[in-house]
Amino acid sequence: MIKVEKLIKRYGANTVLNGIDLSIEKGEIIVVIGPSGTGKSTLLRCINFLECADSGRITLGGLSVDAARASKRDILTLRRQTAFVFQNYALFANKNALANVAERLIIVDGWPKARAHARAREILERIGLADKADAYPAALSGGQQQRVGIGRAMAANAELILFDEPTSALDPEWVDEVLGLMKALAAERQTMLVVTHEMQFARDVADRVIFMDGGRIVEQGPPDKLFTDPQDERTRAFLRKVLAQQPSLAP
Ligand SMILES: Nc1ncnc2c1ncn2[C@@H]1O[C@H](COP(=O)(O)OP(=O)(O)OP(=O)(O)O)[C@@H](O)[C@H]1O
Ligand SMILES: [Mg+2]
């Protein structure tokens, strides 16, 4: 469904993505893990064209583009098929929950306001925030704000939702409600590419876990295999470190 080929991204002399090849099937749930600074966010941002890669190809929904030379029109076409959930929610502070969820439908997809708001109400219902439609982000808890962030992505009806550490800015008490919503989406087989340090979520929900280091995919596989029998020493070292902080998960 989506294919990334030989993706390279540099910042000055720093090669942040060093030839990423990745195919994702429709309905697949993929979790990306790896040390800080290894290019996980950059990969998501390049897939969504929030950043422009230096070379490589991106294919999505029948459109295949040179990632370094995509036209504005192609970028818009590809972007319509993806949605992004940010670590810091990135909600519009001056819009209420309803308008935040409806925004993209109006601006990107050109829906009339009434139709977009009707759809946004359905979404708020589904994410358990129907009673918060009129609330502004400042009046919502972190967990509620992130659920609105996910609701916005759901409204887009995107082929692929990209999540960049969606729970790591949250107080611990709000993490479960956000992971719960993500699990519900996964159960519907919404295609998802999720960067997270939540190893239990990865174990329970991912079809495939990808370990990145130094701008490369070092190793990937089903969580059962990757967590219990990692092949590469870098994967082993990373998992040792993370699992020491989440001891209940040690194999
Ligand atoms: N806009 C930018 N300009 C220059 N360098 C950048 C920029 N964005 C990211 N980098 C660098 O690219 C590298 C990869 O960053 P990236 O944010 O993709 O890592 P990450 O794997 O998401 O890390 P983390 O787990 O800390 O979020 C880092 O060395 C970072 O400093
Ligand atoms: Mg990151």
Side-chain angles (χ1 to χ4, degrees):
M1 187 201 85
I2 176 164
K3 199 166 179 188
V4 172
E5 292 165 276
K6 298 191 173 60
L7 203 66
I8 292 180
K9 172 69 183 173
R10 298 185 191 90
Y11 290 111
N14 186 6
T15 302
V16 175
L17 296 178
N18 198 356
I20 299 284
D21 288 299
L22 173 63
S23 286
I24 306 176
E25 299 301 323
K26 192 171 175 59
E28 237 190 325
I29 318 297
I30 303 205
V31 166
V32 181
I33 59 173
S36 182
T38 54
K40 304 178 300 293
S41 297
T42 304
L43 173 62
L44 264 52
R45 296 173 67 83
C46 285
I47 290 176
N48 196 235
F49 289 92
L50 289 168
E51 295 284 349
C52 192
D54 291 296
S55 63
R57 284 200 86 72
I58 296 178
T59 305
L60 178 56
L63 179 61
S64 182
V65 300
D66 180 331
R69 267 180 268 281
S71 67
K72 280 201 172 131
R73 194 159 147 238
D74 285 347
I75 290 175
L76 194 60
T77 305
L78 292 175
R79 261 204 203 133
R80 281 207 177 108
Q81 301 175 65
T82 63
F84 208 108
V85 176
F86 297 89
Q87 179 175 6
N88 62 359
Y89 334 127
L91 301 180
F92 296 104
N94 61 341
K95 290 184 191 294
N96 64 25
L98 184 80
N100 264 286
V101 174
E103 173 77 10
R104 158 168 173 160
L105 295 172
I106 297 168
I107 300 298
V108 179
D109 301 320
W111 287 27
K113 192 171 161 187
R115 184 176 164 219
H117 279 201
R119 168 99 175 121
R121 279 192 201 284
E122 282 172 30
I123 299 283
L124 288 176
E125 194 82 49
R126 278 182 61 198
I127 64 179
L129 292 175
D131 58 331
K132 298 290 184 190
D134 298 326
Y136 287 82
L140 297 171
S141 73
Q144 290 170 337
Q145 288 184 63
Q146 189 58 297
R147 279 152 65 201
V148 171
I150 294 172
R152 183 171 56 182
M154 290 163 67
N157 226 343
E159 288 290 332
L160 172 69
I161 303 184
L162 303 157
F163 295 82
D164 192 2
E165 300 201 32
T167 59
S168 50
L170 293 172
D171 288 340
E173 58 188 312
W174 308 124
V175 169
D176 282 348
E177 67 182 51
V178 170
L179 291 178
L181 178 55
M182 292 170 66
K183 281 182 186 172
L185 277 179
E188 293 170 11
R189 303 318 293 177
Q190 163 71 54
T191 316
M192 297 163 45
L193 181 58
V194 185
V195 176
T196 184
H197 297 295
E198 294 288 339
M199 296 295 150
Q200 188 66 54
F201 174 84
R203 277 205 179 167
D204 293 347
V205 177
D207 297 306
R208 185 161 30 127
V209 177
I210 290 177
F211 173 69
M212 274 180 74
D213 196 13
R216 289 200 165 91
I217 293 177
V218 172
E219 183 168 357
Q220 56 181 310
D224 283 352
K225 175 101 174 68
L226 194 105
F227 286 130
T228 56
D229 186 24
Q231 300 298 303
D232 193 282
E233 179 46 36
R234 284 168 292 178
T235 319
R236 284 198 284 269
F238 176 77
L239 288 174
R240 264 198 304 275
K241 211 169 118 197
V242 175
L243 295 179
Q245 290 154 3
Q246 299 176 35
S248 63
L249 292 169

